[in-house]
Amino acid sequence: MAKEIKKIAVLTSGGDSPGMNAAIRSVVRTCAYLEIECVAIYRGYQGMIEGDFKPMNARSVNNIINKGGTILKSARCLEFRTPEGRKKAHDQLVKAGVDAFVVIGGNGSFTGAMIFNNEFDFPVMGIPGTIDNDIIGTSYTIGFDTAINTVVEVIDKIRDTASSHNRLFFIEVMGRDVGHIALNAGVGAGAEEILIPEQNLGLERLLDSLKRSKKSGKSSSIVIVAEGDKIGKNVFELKDYVEEHLPIYDVRVSVLGHMQRGGNPTCFDRVLASRMGVKAVEALLEGKTNYMVGIRDNDLILTPISEAIKGHTPVDEELIRVSDIMTT
Ligand code: ATP
């Protein structure tokens, strides 16, 4: 029979995302509500290896639901990728009397947790915290909604200046492997063209589309480019290419970068994180392990981590179609 869980640890790992604090708060408060001990682990798996733990109670997480980033700090930890590193981490957890942990992070963090579980039969639960929204087993990851709202707000501002000067703007957004941010924020901000890694639009089609835009009377244009776009040129090369082939355009580039990861989480992300934290703790107490909490059709679901880490969720084909229609 599985060991009774009396103490749960929570950590954030990998890239930070807005809403992680709301998830930490939820795990801590659920433990308090259910009268389970809770400890925080600082700096991800690095802190686990070093025993950087702090006992938490319901009051330890006051006034953090609205804050971006993660109060527990995050880190990338090479040592945890080695059996020796994971053994040290396990020793620290045992020493601190921890019976299970909840890791808030992305695919890499979940892979580490799954390997750890396989090696030590130690109960683990994942909560998806990444702005990329590309994790299998959930329609939304914590931080995505905040990120797309940040991007839309910035594009709205850039559009003001673009239309005042009849300019074409290339705006690079995050999304190395999947274009969820580009597609959603692009549709939401009314971009004229959206270039995502999933689609190789081709330079000729881009030029044709821009020519059509100009002919149809548009005085300014916004093109959203996901950083992993397959068109074969980075955003600055794209600017040079378009200026060379379409001299009618005055082209500018804006790379949004890390601002997309910051900021106060939206209400959607706070609620999602609160729900996922409760589910993660309850699932562990029900004896479940090696799962990731996700949301589908507004229901919380559990997906085995082994499934969740298998790849990336594809962009929504229907939204691509909507985008094509809207950019006519
Ligand atoms: P993001 O989506 O922001 O990249 P992530 O969780 O995927 O988040 P990673 O840097 O890939 O971020 O992973 C976070 C940490 O998880 C790593 O620094 C490492 O400690 C651990 N980790 C990742 N992959 C493995 C692995 N194969 N084995 C053991 N630990 C791993």
Side-chain angles (χ1 to χ4, degrees):
M1 210 185 103
K3 190 176 162 223
E4 193 189 347
I5 291 175
K6 296 192 188 129
K7 195 187 251 192
I8 292 179
V10 59
L11 68 151
T12 48
S13 171
D16 64 298
S17 69
M20 278 185 161
N21 282 326
I24 296 165
R25 173 181 179 269
S26 173
V27 170
V28 171
R29 293 244 166 115
T30 307
C31 287
Y33 179 81
L34 297 171
E35 298 180 353
I36 302 289
E37 279 187 81
C38 187
V39 292
I41 300 176
Y42 285 80
R43 296 177 294 120
Y45 291 124
Q46 191 63 43
M48 192 184 278
I49 288 173
E50 293 172 17
D52 194 358
F53 302 166
K54 185 181 157 202
M56 303 293 270
N57 61 42
R59 298 285 71 76
S60 315
V61 287
N62 285 351
N63 301 323
I64 64 166
I65 192 169
N66 55 328
K67 295 203 164 70
T70 157
I71 59 157
L72 300 185
K73 315 284 181 198
S74 196
R76 307 214 190 249
C77 172
L78 277 182
E79 205 182 348
F80 197 76
R81 292 174 182 268
T82 68
E84 297 76 26
R86 292 192 293 273
K87 167 82 174 56
K88 281 190 206 164
H90 184 251
D91 289 347
Q92 294 284 7
L93 291 172
V94 171
K95 196 168 116 196
V98 174
D99 302 310
F101 71 73
V102 176
V103 58
I104 305 161
N107 269 340
S109 305
F110 297 156
T111 306
M114 185 185 72
I115 294 171
F116 191 81
N117 171 268
N118 293 342
E119 284 176 345
F120 301 102
D121 194 22
F122 194 91
V124 300
M125 195 59 59
I127 294 181
T130 164
I131 63 168
D132 291 336
N133 207 38
D134 58 352
I135 295 185
I136 291 173
T138 190
S139 304
Y140 295 102
T141 58
I142 298 168
F144 173 65
D145 186 65
T146 306
I148 55 176
N149 276 290
T150 302
V151 173
V152 164
E153 201 184 317
V154 175
I155 298 173
D156 286 349
K157 291 186 169 129
I158 290 176
R159 188 180 288 285
D160 289 345
T161 169
S163 56
S164 303
H165 294 276
N166 288 354
R167 275 179 182 151
L168 165 64
F169 263 88
F170 283 109
I171 303 177
E172 187 189 275
V173 302
M174 284 184 168
R176 261 166 313 180
D177 304 303
V178 189
H180 293 292
I181 294 179
L183 187 59
N184 282 270
V187 170
E192 275 66 35
E193 202 60 72
I194 302 168
L195 308 181
I196 54 176
E198 293 80 352
Q199 283 191 316
N200 192 350
L201 182 67
L203 290 167
E204 283 311 310
R205 246 191 80 192
L206 175 65
L207 291 183
D208 285 347
S209 158
L210 291 173
K211 277 183 207 157
R212 266 201 319 276
S213 274
K214 199 72 170 174
K215 250 195 198 149
S216 72
K218 283 186 186 169
S219 58
S220 65
S221 288
I222 303 279
V223 177
I224 308 295
V225 186
E227 60 186 340
D229 165 61
K230 284 202 178 61
I231 208 160
K233 294 197 182 295
N234 73 32
V235 80
F236 294 99
E237 291 166 342
L238 270 181
K239 165 187 165 22
D240 293 342
Y241 183 86
V242 170
E243 278 185 334
E244 188 187 325
H245 292 85
L246 279 180
I248 40 164
Y249 273 111
D250 178 15
V251 189
R252 293 288 186 276
V253 167
S254 190
V255 177
L256 300 194
H258 282 80
M259 75 157 72
Q260 294 162 89
R261 292 245 281 251
N264 299 348
T266 57
C267 183
F268 180 90
D269 276 330
R270 298 179 199 195
V271 173
L272 180 67
S274 301
R275 293 179 70 190
M276 286 183 165
V278 173
K279 180 76 176 176
V281 172
E282 287 182 344
L284 280 171
L285 295 183
E286 283 163 15
K288 303 209 167 76
T289 178
N290 233 349
Y291 284 97
M292 182 200 79
V293 179
I295 189 162
R296 183 156 304 135
D297 299 331
N298 204 27
D299 286 328
L300 292 175
I301 54 166
L302 296 176
T303 300
I305 289 183
S306 54
E307 290 296 315
I309 59 174
K310 268 192 179 147
H312 301 284
T313 45
V315 285
D316 184 352
E317 289 295 326
E318 188 249 355
L319 193 53
I320 292 184
R321 193 166 159 266
V322 169
S323 154
D324 287 344
I325 294 170
M326 290 304 111
T327 52
T328 305

